């Protein structure tokens, strides 16, 4: 109630209650800042209950003003009061004050300043005013007490009213008697928040509670901390990938499943816990399923460890029977009745493969609600759609409808939204208006929104499914399961009776699978297998999973890990594999990190690895916004997306380290979701620590600011930041805002969007993310790293690409030869397993596809054909990519362009040649035809040597790392694992190799060609004597391909060729420039001789000369005299020309 | 950073009327860390769980000065009028209290017993 104004309103100086004889001669003004300061000095000192200048102090004055107005109202009645005093027997009643005064109802007292310190500032206050002030303070403190107690009581009432409250005792009892107990209850029964507290109350002190999602760890820790009244204590903590609030006093910790598994990796028996709660087991996440498997095996070794499995009421018997018929405590959900309305969509005329979702059925529901339910009856609508595209298909028409009727606020909800936008679904709609939330299945279990009365269920979900053959992630649309349908329906009945509209027929529902497909049957299992190997749980094929994965997925994963070098041929972890198992990242990204640190490229590689491990920071809206696109352009790198991300991150760090610049704004202008950059920074730091831990990176000490002054300065800054953070946390508990109905077009928004700091508390204008960032990271160090990365030399850049290329290998695609004559938007690519893939729209090459074309080359007959097919060029490129994502098309995501020939020579798992090595086939699908045999052989030889070099350096690095871990910190000051000079030499050689210019053609073999690639096993087994060419290995006949296996990847002379040539025919007379040897030799033999020629100058690797820019088409250098037997003529021919010539005679 | 000097609870306070429970960390009239505030009854006190400020306390309950029951400070269980009285005792001796309090009780009109919001444990 607004207090009515009395008197002149402004001057509460005249307190009418008891006009004192010595009333102030002048006007007393409580509003005068000096007056207030005087009292604050006296009462709100550093030691006092309320401190000067605090938020509390402001609250007090507000209260004070209200109290004064209130007392002005009441005084008149006051005087007539008198007391009767009947005698009472009980002594407690005997001395009750006769005359009522509200202050007798207050159970505390405040000492006046004079009572505490006679010399203090209180001396100068008029006693009358001081006592008035004290009374007000008393009332204020009483008010605060009542308020806080009210919250406490409410909290307990709510807890007691939860369905699970009736079962707490029972659960504890069960847990006494059994090792494993299953608690099954639907969302809203309170199991996730209450069971941990029952355990706490029962005296358990080492409780871990796993959650599938990081967000849940944080929010549950907060909630449970709050409810168990240790919100600001430390009994309840959480631990997630980047943060931990755990301390010695922590009794219960919420952590992710992944983290618990890592703890088990170190100590399988989990000695640090007494009770383990595994929440949301019904979601059947990969890690959760695996955890259950490990637990099942581990429990006999830890009979004292208690396990609580918490599940929705889905398939409970599965979990119970997996743990030897563990008892089940089933808690009924608290659901109000829900009416189900089936509204199957009549078979719509399939409009052009129905690319876009028809929004009409959804609009009809909105209309139906408007017609049937008066707007005063509150209740919001939650619409489940299969994916983001479907959400946007409905969003627009729904918003149009909303702005027409003014009765709806339409909000999207999916995981790619910014956090702030996601939060909007929790805001409230103004009276008479309903929220309509268009959501993916994120709202099925992860996000709980109150106040939903209507649910529309499309019956569809898009899920990543994994094709192990193609190693391809597909986002596909499926019918949901009955369990999901029930879950969705249930969202309508949490706050009152509800209605669920199912946009499918009841018969469809009956045909749904009972449960969703567990993740283990849908996704790639590389990471899981790697983890299983590192935890030594035995052969993944025989591991007793609660439900086993498809055998093909397991086999693919094992094969993949062998391909990637993480497992050896006996499927044991290799050194690199065991390192990879400890890096919580994708295998390819882990490899990048390891390779990068070897070449002293750790800083940029750390950033890139982090960037590739989080969701893209580029917001979708910005794609359609040309302004965003333009401001972003300078950050783009035409080398590839990871480099763009590197630029974005580095520039962002730059912006952050410049005083007074607002990184939030900077990001917004460029259509960048800043939150992702914070995640990158966190991840980057974690990677760095991992590399340091594993001795791959010298733990560079932060360059301490030298003098004590700057240290002090720095400490002060940090203190200020802590203070900011603390104050922010005080004011946390985001208040719900009222949404605005859209006026017209600009969609929905909360007041927050416009008012900015005006509508929020002053303390809230702080960018808390920025504060946390600056507290967590050493900005100076980051900044230094960023600037060094920005100053990457061309060589470093090339090396970086090599590192990425090797890490990502074999994820690469070849541009279609006709791309150069295609429209920019029609560029297509082929991978080994998949033809006709396209660049993801976010990819930097979509704007400049020409950088991927082999722009060449007048030299070879300009026969008018404008395609790259068979085109000779030294600049063919491949696109290596981080992932292949299939939605409506197969997309290459996060691409880098790399030189084709050199990369294939360095990375291919299988490299096959013809007799003179002018024709190479990489991994059985890419054919390279080199113009010149001699340079082909040289390049091949150089690549062999480089690979061996690189491999041994890497092996030693990893072995060193493994040894270091064994010996532990025995010797801190060890020399670098692989010596600096060696790495420098290797880098130099690699760079020279990469820049070598050789003309060649590149094409993808057709299926038929690929089938008939090899000559097959040969009866003649005379090995070619090519000493030195292929190192010291003695080639042996290849059992299946034919030809000779030179190394584990290189097979010489196994390719069939139409002009079935014997290498002998290519012998020509040749004189060694070093020793003067003169005899007919094949090019191969020549190289072999040169490599071993005793007179040859040692040192410079033969491949190096190749690096000298050398125009491959220059005739003279390569032409040799040639005598043709067929036509009896002498020519001056290059080896290729010889081939061509000979072909005429066939 | 912040040192976690959690004052360990002395025990759990439980209201004998409404069964509200709360861990208390101090019992008496002079809560620690707040020299300028004194309590007018022997109280069960916890640190205010709703503020990060460590010096703030919250009085959860005390003994009825007539019957000696432990009661919480909630208005459904007790009132303070220069001393603590549980509501049953107030009801029994209602005319010993000034009219203001009687009127308050009238207005409240809630039966003093709040049956079993917490049944077990
Ligand atoms: Zn009570
Ligand atoms: Zn009593």
């Amino acid at each position: 109630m607004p207090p009515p104004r009395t008197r002149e309103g402004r001057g509460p100086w005249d307190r009418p209650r008891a006009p004192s004889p010595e009333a102030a001669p002048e006007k007393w003004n409580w509003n005068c800042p000096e007056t207030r300061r005087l009292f604050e000095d006296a009462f709100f000192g550093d030691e006092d209950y309320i401190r000067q200048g605090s938020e509390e102090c402001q609250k007090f004055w507000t209260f004070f003003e209200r109290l004064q107005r209130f007392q002005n109202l009441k005084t008149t009645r006051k005087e007539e009061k008198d007391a009767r005093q009947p005698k009472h027997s009980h002594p407690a009643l005997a001395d009750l004050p006769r005359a009522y005064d509200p202050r007798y109802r207050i159970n505390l007292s405040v000492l006046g300043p004079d009572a505490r310190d006679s010399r203090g500032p209180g001396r100068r206050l008029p006693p009358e005013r001081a006592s008035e002030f004290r009374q007000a303070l008393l009332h204020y403190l009483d008010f605060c007490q009542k308020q806080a107690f009210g919250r406490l009581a409410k909290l307990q009432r709510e807890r007691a009213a939860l369905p699970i409250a009736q079962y707490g005792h029972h659960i504890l009892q069960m847990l006494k008697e059994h090792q494993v107990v299953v608690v099954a209850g639907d969302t809203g029964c309170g199991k996730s928040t209450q069971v941990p507290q029952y355990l706490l109350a029962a005296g358990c002190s080492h409780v871990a509670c796993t959650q599938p999602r990081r967000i849940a760890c944080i929010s549950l820790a907060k909630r449970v901390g709050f409810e168990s009244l240790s919100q600001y204590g430390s009994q309840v903590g959480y631990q997630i990938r980047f943060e931990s609030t755990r301390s010695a006093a922590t009794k219960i910790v919420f952590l992710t499943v992944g983290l618990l598994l890592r703890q088990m990796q170190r100590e399988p028996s989990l000695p640090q816990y007494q009770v383990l709660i595994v929440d949301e087991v019904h979601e059947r996440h990969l890690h959760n399923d695996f955890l259950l498997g490990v637990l099942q095996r581990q429990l006999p070794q830890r009979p004292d460890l208690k396990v609580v499995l918490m599940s929705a009421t889905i398939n409970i018997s599965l979990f119970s029977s997996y743990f030897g018929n563990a008892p089940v405590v089933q808690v009924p959900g608290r659901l109000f009745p829900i009416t189900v309305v089936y509204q199957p969509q009549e078979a719509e005329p399939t409009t052009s493969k129905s690319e876009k979702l028809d929004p009409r059925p959804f609009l009809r529901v909105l209309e139906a609600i408007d017609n049937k339910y008066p707007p005063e009856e509150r209740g919001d609508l939650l619409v489940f759609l299969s994916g983001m595209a479907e959400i946007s298909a409905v969003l627009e028409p729904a918003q149009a409808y909303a702005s027409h009727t003014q009765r709806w606020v339409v909000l999207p909800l999916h995981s790619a939204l910014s956090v702030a936008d996601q939060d909007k679904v929790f805001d409230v709609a103004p009276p008479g208006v309903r929220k309509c939330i268009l959501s993916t299945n994120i709202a099925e279990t992860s996000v709980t929104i109150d106040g939903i009365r209507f649910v529309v269920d499309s019956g569809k979900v898009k899920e990543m499914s994994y094709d192990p053959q193609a190693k391809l992630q597909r986002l596909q649309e499926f019918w949901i399961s009955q369990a999901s349908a029930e879950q969705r329906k249930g969202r309508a009945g949490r706050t009152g009776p509800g209605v669920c509209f199912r946009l499918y027929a009841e018969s469809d529902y009956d045909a749904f699978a009972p449960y969703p497909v567990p993740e283990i049957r849908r996704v790639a299992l590389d990471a899981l297998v790697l983890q299983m190997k590192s935890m030594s749980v035995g052969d993944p094929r025989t591991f007793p999973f609660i439900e086993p994965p498809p055998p093909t997925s397991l086999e693919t994963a094992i094969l993949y890990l062998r391909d990637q070098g993480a497992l050896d041929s006996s499927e044991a972890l290799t050194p690199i594999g065991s390192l990879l198992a400890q890096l919580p990242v994708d295998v390819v990204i882990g490899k990048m990190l390891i390779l990068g640190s070897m070449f002293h490229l750790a800083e940029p590689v750390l950033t890139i690895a982090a960037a590739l491990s989080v969701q893209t920071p580029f917001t979708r809206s910005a794609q359609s916004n040309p302004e965003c696109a333009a401001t972003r352009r300078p950050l783009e790198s035409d080398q590839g997306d990871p480099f763009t991300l590197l630029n974005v991150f580095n520039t962002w760090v730059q912006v952050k380290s410049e005083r007074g610049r607002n990184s939030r704004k900077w990001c917004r202008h460029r259509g960048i979701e800043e939150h992702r950059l914070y995640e990158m920074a966190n991840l980057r730091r974690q990677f760095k620590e991992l590399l340091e831990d594993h001795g791959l990176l010298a733990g560079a000490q932060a360059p301490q600011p030298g003098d004590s002054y700057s240290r002090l300065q720095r400490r002060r800054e940090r203190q200020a930041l802590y203070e900011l953070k603390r104050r922010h946390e005080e004011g946390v508990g985001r208040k719900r805002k009222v949404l605005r109905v859209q006026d017209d077009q600009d969609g929905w928004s909360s007041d927050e969007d416009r008012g900015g700091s005006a509508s929020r508390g002053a303390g809230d204008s702080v960018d808390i993310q920025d504060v946390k960032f600056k507290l967590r990271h050493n900005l100076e160090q980051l900044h230094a790293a960023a600037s060094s990365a920005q100053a990457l030399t061309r060589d470093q850049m090339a090396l970086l690409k090599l590192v990425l290329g090797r890490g990502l290998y074999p994820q690469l695609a070849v541009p279609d030869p006709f791309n150069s004559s295609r429209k920019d938007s029609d560029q297509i690519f082929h991978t080994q397993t998949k033809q006709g893939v396209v660049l993801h729209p976010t990819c930097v090459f979509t704007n400049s596809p020409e950088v991927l074309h082999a722009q060449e080359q007048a030299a070879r007959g300009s026969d008018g054909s404008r395609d790259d097919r068979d085109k000779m060029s030294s600049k063919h490129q491949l696109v290596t990519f981080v992932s292949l994502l299939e939605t409506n098309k197969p997309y290459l995501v996060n691409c880098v362009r790399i030189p084709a020939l050199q990369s294939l020579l360095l990375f291919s798992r299988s490299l096959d040649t013809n007799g003179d090595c002018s024709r190479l086939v990489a991994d059985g699908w890419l054919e390279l035809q080199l113009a010149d045999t001699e340079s082909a052989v040289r390049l091949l030889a150089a690549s062999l040597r480089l690979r061996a070099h690189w491999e041994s350096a890497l092996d030693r690095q990893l072995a060193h790392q493994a040894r270091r871990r064994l010996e532990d910190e025995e010797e801190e000051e060890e020399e670098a694992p692989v010596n600096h000079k060696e790495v420098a030499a290797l880098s130099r050689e690699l760079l020279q190799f990469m820049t070598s210019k050789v003309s060649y053609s590149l094409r993808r073999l057709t299926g038929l060609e690929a089938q008939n690639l090899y000559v097959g096993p040969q009866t003649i087994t005379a090995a070619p004597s090519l000493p030195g060419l292929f190192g010291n290995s003695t080639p042996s006949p290849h059992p299946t391909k034919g030809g000779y296996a030179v190394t584990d990847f290189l097979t010489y002379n196994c390719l069939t060729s139409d002009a079935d040539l014997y290498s002998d025919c290519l012998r020509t007379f040749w004189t060694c420039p070093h020793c003067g040897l003169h005899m007919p030799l094949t090019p191969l033999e020549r190289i072999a001789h040169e490599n071993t020629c005793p007179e040859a100058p040692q040192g410079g690797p033969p491949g190096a000369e190749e690096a000298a820019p050398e125009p491959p088409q220059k005739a003279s250098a390569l032409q040799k005299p040639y005598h043709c037997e067929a036509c009896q003529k002498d020519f001056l021919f290059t080896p290729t020309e010889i081939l061509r010539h000979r072909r005429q005679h066939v | 950073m912040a040192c976690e000097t959690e004052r360990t609870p002395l025990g759990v306070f439980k209201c004998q009327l409404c069964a509200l429970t709360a861990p208390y960390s101090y019992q008496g009239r002079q809560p620690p860390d707040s020299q300028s505030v004194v309590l007018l009854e022997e109280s069960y006190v916890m640190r205010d769980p709703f503020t990060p400020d460590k010096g703030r306390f919250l009085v959860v309950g005390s003994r009825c000065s007539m019957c000696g029951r432990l009661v919480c400070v909630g208005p459904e269980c007790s009132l303070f009028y220069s001393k603590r009285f549980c509501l049953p005792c107030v009801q029994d001796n209602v005319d010993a209290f000034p009219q203001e309090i009687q009127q308050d009780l009238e207005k409240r009109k809630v039966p003093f017993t709040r049956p079993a919001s917490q049944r077990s444990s």
Side-chain angles (χ1 to χ4, degrees), chain A residues 43 47-51 56 77 81 84 86 88 90-101 104-111 116 140-141 144-145 148-149 151-153 155-157 160-161 165-166 168-169 226 228-235 247 249 722 725-726 729-730, chain B residues 1 4 6 9 19-23 33-41 43 46-61 65-67 72-76 79-85 93 95-104 114 117-121:
Chain A
F43 284 87
E47 302 284 281
D48 282 308
Y49 204 65
I50 296 175
R51 256 162 253 124
E56 193 73 36
R77 294 194 304 138
K81 280 281 156 300
R84 313 143 297 147
H88 273 278
H90 198 284
L93 296 170
D95 56 348
L96 287 185
R98 306 265 153 91
Y100 178 81
D101 189 303
Y104 296 135
R105 305 197 61 170
I106 298 176
N107 63 343
L108 41 77
S109 166
V110 179
L111 302 178
R116 290 173 289 162
Y140 175 71
L141 294 179
C144 292
Q145 287 288 316
F149 186 83
R151 290 179 78 182
L152 183 76
L155 203 66
Q156 297 220 335
R157 274 199 305 278
Q166 319 294 332
H169 198 66
F226 179 72
S228 62
L229 307 176
S230 73
Q231 187 184 12
Y232 298 101
S234 49
Q235 278 192 44
S247 72
Y722 273 125
K725 182 171 173 233
R726 195 184 63 77
E729 279 164 0
E730 275 176 46
Chain B
M1 34 154 270
E4 305 282 356
E6 189 78 340
L20 174 134
T21 56
D33 297 337
S34 52
Q35 296 98 320
S36 56
V37 181
V38 290
L39 302 176
L40 303 178
E41 55 178 338
S43 311
M46 70 188 294
R47 205 176 76 63
D48 183 348
F50 305 109
T51 159
D53 189 337
K54 293 209 181 288
R56 318 278 306 194
F57 62 83
L58 172 61
V59 176
V60 284
S65 55
M66 287 189 76
C67 67
C72 74
V73 300
E76 277 94 35
L79 63 78
F80 187 85
Y81 187 66
S82 87
K83 301 184 185 72
R84 179 70 50 188
F85 296 96
N93 303 282
D95 47 348
F97 291 88
Q99 237 180 332
E100 282 82 354
I101 288 181
Q102 293 177 26
Q103 280 167 357
D104 256 21
R114 286 184 31 85
S117 38
Q118 244 167 340
R119 220 161 280 157
S120 60
S121 67

Side-chain angles (χ1 to χ4, degrees), chain A residues 1059-1075:
Chain A
D1060 186 25
L1061 294 171
Y1062 297 109
S1063 43
D1064 288 359
C1065 299
L1066 297 167
R1067 287 219 164 83
T1068 49
F1069 273 97
W1070 175 75
T1071 314
C1072 174
H1074 310 301
C1075 67

Side-chain angles (χ1 to χ4, degrees), chain A residues 41 46 153 172 327 376 409 468 472-473 490 534 619 648 705 843 974 1023 1048 1067:
Chain A
D41 285 344
D46 278 350
L172 290 174
E376 316 70 76
V409 177
L472 177 73
Q473 303 261 49
S534 75
T619 56
V648 167
C843 176
E974 234 174 327
D1048 57 349
R1067 287 219 164 83

Side-chain angles (χ1 to χ4, degrees), chain A residues 149, chain B residues 13 15-20 60 70-74 76-78:
Chain A
F149 186 83
Chain B
F13 171 87
C15 173
Q16 288 177 271
L17 290 176
C18 72
L20 174 134
V60 284
L70 268 184
V71 283
C72 74
V73 300
E76 277 94 35
C77 292
S78 73

Side-chain angles (χ1 to χ4, degrees), chain A residues 800-821:
Chain A
L800 200 50
K801 279 173 77 172
L802 257 176
V803 164
L804 296 197
R806 177 155 178 194
L808 292 173
Y809 197 87
Q811 292 166 191
L812 46 84
V814 61
D816 187 81
F818 297 101
N819 273 354
S820 49
S821 52

